[in-house]
Coordinates of all heavy atoms in Angstrom, one line a residue:
E1496 N 91.9 85.1 98.0 CA 90.8 84.2 98.3 C 90.4 84.2 99.7 O 89.2 84.2 100.1 CB 91.2 82.7 97.9 CG 91.3 82.5 96.4 CD 91.6 81.1 96.0 OE1 91.0 80.1 96.6 OE2 92.5 80.9 95.2
I1497 N 91.4 84.3 100.6 CA 91.1 84.3 102.0 C 90.4 85.6 102.4 O 89.4 85.6 103.1 CB 92.4 84.2 102.9 CG1 93.1 82.8 102.7 CG2 92.2 84.5 104.3 CD1 94.4 82.7 103.3
I1498 N 90.8 86.7 101.8 CA 90.1 88.0 102.1 C 88.7 88.0 101.6 O 87.8 88.4 102.3 CB 90.9 89.2 101.5 CG1 92.2 89.4 102.3 CG2 90.1 90.5 101.4 CD1 93.1 90.4 101.7
H1499 N 88.5 87.4 100.4 CA 87.1 87.3 99.8 C 86.2 86.5 100.8 O 85.1 86.8 101.0 CB 87.1 86.8 98.4 CG 87.5 87.8 97.4 ND1 86.6 88.8 97.0 CD2 88.6 88.0 96.7 CE1 87.2 89.6 96.1 NE2 88.5 89.1 95.9
L1500 N 86.8 85.4 101.3 CA 86.0 84.5 102.2 C 85.7 85.3 103.4 O 84.5 85.2 103.9 CB 86.9 83.3 102.5 CG 86.2 82.3 103.4 CD1 85.0 81.6 102.7 CD2 87.2 81.2 103.8
I1501 N 86.6 86.0 104.0 CA 86.3 86.7 105.2 C 85.3 87.9 105.0 O 84.5 88.1 105.8 CB 87.7 87.3 105.8 CG1 88.5 86.1 106.3 CG2 87.4 88.2 107.0 CD1 89.9 86.4 106.7
Q1502 N 85.5 88.6 103.8 CA 84.5 89.6 103.5 C 83.1 89.1 103.5 O 82.2 89.8 103.9 CB 84.8 90.2 102.1 CG 86.0 91.2 102.1 CD 86.3 91.7 100.7 OE1 85.9 91.1 99.7 NE2 87.1 92.7 100.7
Q1503 N 82.9 87.9 103.0 CA 81.5 87.3 102.9 C 81.0 87.1 104.3 O 79.8 87.2 104.5 CB 81.6 86.0 102.2 CG 81.9 86.1 100.8 CD 82.1 84.7 100.1 OE1 82.0 83.7 100.8 NE2 82.4 84.7 98.8
K1504 N 81.8 86.9 105.3 CA 81.4 86.8 106.7 C 81.2 88.1 107.4 O 80.4 88.2 108.3 CB 82.4 85.9 107.5 CG 82.6 84.6 106.9 CD 81.5 83.6 107.1 CE 81.8 82.3 106.6 NZ 80.7 81.4 106.5
I1505 N 82.0 89.1 107.1 CA 82.0 90.4 107.8 C 81.1 91.4 107.2 O 80.2 92.0 107.9 CB 83.4 90.9 107.9 CG1 84.3 90.0 108.7 CG2 83.4 92.3 108.5 CD1 85.7 90.4 108.8
V1506 N 81.2 91.6 105.9 CA 80.4 92.7 105.2 C 79.0 92.3 105.0 O 78.7 91.2 104.5 CB 81.1 93.1 103.9 CG1 80.3 94.2 103.2 CG2 82.5 93.6 104.1
T1507 N 78.1 93.2 105.4 CA 76.7 92.9 105.1 C 76.1 93.9 104.2 O 76.8 94.9 103.8 CB 75.9 92.9 106.5 OG1 76.0 94.2 107.0 CG2 76.4 91.9 107.5
G1508 N 74.8 93.7 103.8 CA 74.2 94.7 102.9 C 74.6 94.3 101.4 O 74.8 93.2 101.1
R1509 N 74.7 95.3 100.6 CA 75.1 95.1 99.2 C 76.4 94.5 99.1 O 77.3 94.7 99.9 CB 75.1 96.5 98.5 CG 75.3 96.3 97.0 CD 75.7 97.6 96.3 NE 74.7 98.6 96.4 CZ 74.8 99.8 96.0 NH1 76.0 100.2 95.5 NH2 73.8 100.7 96.1
K1510 N 76.6 93.6 98.0 CA 77.9 93.0 97.8 C 78.9 94.1 97.4 O 78.6 95.1 96.8 CB 77.8 92.0 96.6 CG 77.0 90.8 96.9 CD 77.0 89.8 95.8 CE 76.2 88.6 96.1 NZ 76.3 87.6 95.0
L1511 N 80.1 93.8 97.8 CA 81.2 94.8 97.5 C 81.5 94.8 96.0 O 81.7 95.9 95.5 CB 82.5 94.4 98.3 CG 82.5 94.7 99.8 CD1 83.8 94.2 100.4 CD2 82.4 96.2 100.0
D1512 N 81.5 93.7 95.4 CA 81.9 93.6 94.0 C 80.6 93.4 93.2 O 80.0 92.3 93.3 CB 82.8 92.4 93.7 CG 84.2 92.7 94.4 OD1 84.7 93.8 94.3 OD2 84.7 91.7 95.0
I1513 N 80.2 94.4 92.4 CA 79.0 94.3 91.5 C 79.5 93.8 90.2 O 80.5 94.4 89.6 CB 78.4 95.7 91.4 CG1 78.0 96.3 92.7 CG2 77.1 95.6 90.5 CD1 76.9 95.5 93.5
E1514 N 78.9 92.7 89.7 CA 79.3 92.2 88.4 C 78.9 93.2 87.3 O 77.9 93.8 87.4 CB 78.7 90.8 88.2 CG 79.3 89.8 89.2 CD 78.6 88.5 89.1 OE1 77.9 88.2 88.2 OE2 78.9 87.7 90.0
E1515 N 79.6 93.2 86.2 CA 79.5 94.1 85.1 C 78.0 94.2 84.6 O 77.5 95.3 84.4 CB 80.4 93.8 83.9 CG 80.5 94.8 82.9 CD 81.5 94.6 81.8 OE1 82.6 94.1 82.2 OE2 81.2 94.8 80.6
N1516 N 77.4 93.1 84.3 CA 76.1 93.1 83.7 C 75.0 93.0 84.7 O 73.8 92.7 84.4 CB 75.9 92.0 82.6 CG 76.9 92.3 81.4 OD1 77.1 93.5 81.0 ND2 77.5 91.3 80.9
S1517 N 75.3 93.1 86.0 CA 74.3 92.9 87.0 C 73.4 94.1 87.2 O 73.9 95.2 87.1 CB 75.0 92.6 88.4 OG 74.1 92.5 89.4
V1518 N 72.1 93.8 87.3 CA 71.2 94.9 87.6 C 70.8 94.9 89.0 O 69.9 95.6 89.4 CB 69.9 94.8 86.6 CG1 70.3 95.1 85.2 CG2 69.3 93.5 86.8
L1519 N 71.3 93.9 89.8 CA 71.0 93.8 91.2 C 71.8 94.7 92.0 O 73.0 94.5 92.2 CB 71.2 92.4 91.6 CG 70.3 91.3 90.9 CD1 70.7 89.9 91.3 CD2 68.9 91.5 91.1
L1520 N 71.2 95.8 92.5 CA 71.9 96.7 93.4 C 71.3 96.7 94.8 O 71.3 97.6 95.5 CB 71.9 98.1 92.8 CG 72.7 98.4 91.6 CD1 72.5 99.8 91.1 CD2 74.1 98.0 91.7
G1521 N 70.6 95.6 95.1 CA 69.9 95.4 96.3 C 70.9 95.3 97.5 O 72.1 95.1 97.3
G1522 N 70.3 95.5 98.6 CA 71.1 95.4 99.9 C 71.3 96.8 100.5 O 71.4 97.8 99.8
D1523 N 71.4 96.8 101.8 CA 71.7 98.0 102.5 C 73.1 98.6 102.2 O 74.0 97.8 102.0 CB 71.6 97.8 104.0 CG 70.1 97.5 104.4 OD1 69.2 97.9 103.7 OD2 70.0 96.8 105.5
T1524 N 73.2 99.9 102.3 CA 74.5 100.5 102.2 C 74.6 101.7 103.3 O 73.6 102.2 103.7 CB 74.8 101.2 100.8 OG1 73.8 102.2 100.6 CG2 74.7 100.1 99.7
N1525 N 75.8 102.0 103.6 CA 76.1 103.2 104.4 C 76.4 104.3 103.4 O 77.5 104.3 102.8 CB 77.2 103.0 105.4 CG 76.8 102.3 106.6 OD1 75.8 102.6 107.2 ND2 77.6 101.3 107.0
H1526 N 75.5 105.2 103.1 CA 75.7 106.2 102.0 C 76.5 107.4 102.7 O 76.0 107.9 103.7 CB 74.4 106.7 101.4 CG 74.5 107.6 100.3 ND1 74.5 109.0 100.5 CD2 74.8 107.4 99.0 CE1 74.7 109.6 99.3 NE2 74.8 108.6 98.4
I1527 N 77.6 107.8 102.1 CA 78.3 109.0 102.6 C 78.5 110.0 101.4 O 78.7 109.5 100.3 CB 79.6 108.6 103.3 CG1 80.6 108.0 102.3 CG2 79.4 107.7 104.5 CD1 82.0 107.7 102.9
L1528 N 78.5 111.2 101.7 CA 78.8 112.3 100.8 C 80.1 112.9 101.1 O 80.4 113.3 102.2 CB 77.7 113.4 100.8 CG 76.4 113.0 100.2 CD1 75.3 114.1 100.6 CD2 76.5 112.9 98.7
I1529 N 81.0 112.9 100.1 CA 82.4 113.4 100.3 C 82.7 114.6 99.5 O 82.4 114.7 98.3 CB 83.4 112.3 100.0 CG1 83.2 111.1 100.9 CG2 84.8 112.8 100.1 CD1 83.3 111.3 102.4
D1530 N 83.3 115.6 100.1 CA 83.7 116.9 99.5 C 85.1 116.7 99.0 O 86.0 116.5 99.8 CB 83.6 118.0 100.4 CG 83.9 119.4 99.8 OD1 84.4 119.4 98.7 OD2 83.6 120.4 100.5
R1531 N 85.3 116.7 97.7 CA 86.7 116.5 97.1 C 87.7 117.6 97.6 O 88.9 117.3 97.7 CB 86.7 116.6 95.6 CG 86.1 115.3 95.0 CD 86.3 115.4 93.5 NE 85.7 114.2 92.8 CZ 86.3 113.0 92.7 NH1 87.6 112.9 93.2 NH2 85.7 112.1 92.1
D1532 N 87.2 118.8 98.0 CA 88.0 119.9 98.5 C 88.3 119.7 100.0 O 89.2 120.4 100.5 CB 87.4 121.2 98.2 CG 87.2 121.5 96.7 OD1 88.1 121.1 95.9 OD2 86.2 122.2 96.4
R1533 N 87.6 118.8 100.6 CA 87.8 118.6 102.1 C 87.6 117.1 102.3 O 86.8 116.7 103.2 CB 86.7 119.3 102.9 CG 86.7 120.8 102.8 CD 85.5 121.4 103.6 NE 85.4 120.9 104.9 CZ 84.3 120.1 105.3 NH1 83.4 119.8 104.5 NH2 84.3 119.7 106.6
V1534 N 88.4 116.3 101.6 CA 88.2 114.8 101.7 C 88.4 114.4 103.1 O 87.5 113.6 103.7 CB 89.3 114.1 100.8 CG1 89.2 112.6 101.0 CG2 89.0 114.4 99.3
M1535 N 89.4 114.7 103.8 CA 89.7 114.3 105.2 C 88.6 114.7 106.1 O 88.1 113.9 106.9 CB 91.0 114.8 105.7 CG 91.4 114.3 107.1 SD 91.4 112.5 107.3 CE 92.7 112.1 106.2
E1536 N 88.3 116.0 106.1 CA 87.3 116.5 107.0 C 85.9 115.9 106.8 O 85.2 115.5 107.8 CB 87.2 118.0 106.9 CG 88.4 118.8 107.4 CD 89.5 118.9 106.3 OE1 89.3 118.4 105.2 OE2 90.5 119.5 106.6
S1537 N 85.5 115.8 105.5 CA 84.2 115.2 105.3 C 84.2 113.7 105.6 O 83.2 113.2 106.1 CB 83.7 115.5 103.9 OG 84.6 115.0 102.9
A1538 N 85.3 113.0 105.3 CA 85.4 111.6 105.6 C 85.2 111.4 107.2 O 84.5 110.5 107.6 CB 86.7 111.0 105.1
L1539 N 85.9 112.2 107.9 CA 85.9 112.0 109.4 C 84.5 112.2 109.9 O 84.0 111.5 110.8 CB 86.9 113.0 110.1 CG 88.3 112.6 109.9 CD1 89.2 113.8 110.5 CD2 88.7 111.3 110.6
E1540 N 83.8 113.3 109.4 CA 82.4 113.5 109.8 C 81.5 112.4 109.4 O 80.7 111.9 110.2 CB 81.9 114.8 109.1 CG 82.6 116.1 109.6 CD 82.3 117.3 108.7 OE1 81.5 117.2 107.8 OE2 83.0 118.3 109.0
E1541 N 81.6 111.9 108.2 CA 80.6 110.9 107.7 C 80.9 109.6 108.3 O 79.9 108.9 108.7 CB 80.8 110.8 106.1 CG 80.3 112.0 105.4 CD 78.8 112.2 105.3 OE1 78.1 111.2 105.3 OE2 78.3 113.3 105.3
I1542 N 82.1 109.1 108.4 CA 82.4 107.8 109.0 C 82.1 107.8 110.5 O 81.6 106.8 111.0 CB 83.9 107.4 108.8 CG1 84.2 107.3 107.3 CG2 84.2 106.1 109.5 CD1 83.4 106.3 106.5
A1543 N 82.3 108.9 111.2 CA 82.0 108.9 112.6 C 80.5 108.8 112.9 O 80.1 108.3 113.9 CB 82.5 110.3 113.2

């Protein structure tokens, strides 16, 4: 419960938890593309 409360204050844009029947996918996101064969390398590039 504490983590969920803090997430509401810190995370912006789209909600982290999308409810099952929700059609609301609104909100900003940081979109990243990850290569499964190079997970670490692509993650470092995208997150940076």
Side-chain angles (χ1 to χ4, degrees):
E1496 290 180 45
I1497 294 170
I1498 289 173
H1499 282 286
L1500 181 67
I1501 293 171
Q1502 283 176 344
Q1503 292 172 2
K1504 302 288 183 191
I1505 295 175
V1506 179
T1507 63
R1509 183 194 299 170
K1510 291 184 176 182
L1511 285 175
D1512 296 318
I1513 305 294
E1514 296 174 10
E1515 188 173 320
N1516 295 322
S1517 175
V1518 292
L1519 300 173
L1520 294 179
D1523 293 335
T1524 60
N1525 281 316
H1526 185 266
I1527 62 172
L1528 286 169
I1529 300 297
D1530 184 348
R1531 285 188 184 275
D1532 297 327
R1533 301 177 44 249
V1534 172
M1535 179 60 61
E1536 292 84 0
S1537 58
L1539 289 171
E1540 293 167 5
E1541 294 284 327
I1542 299 296

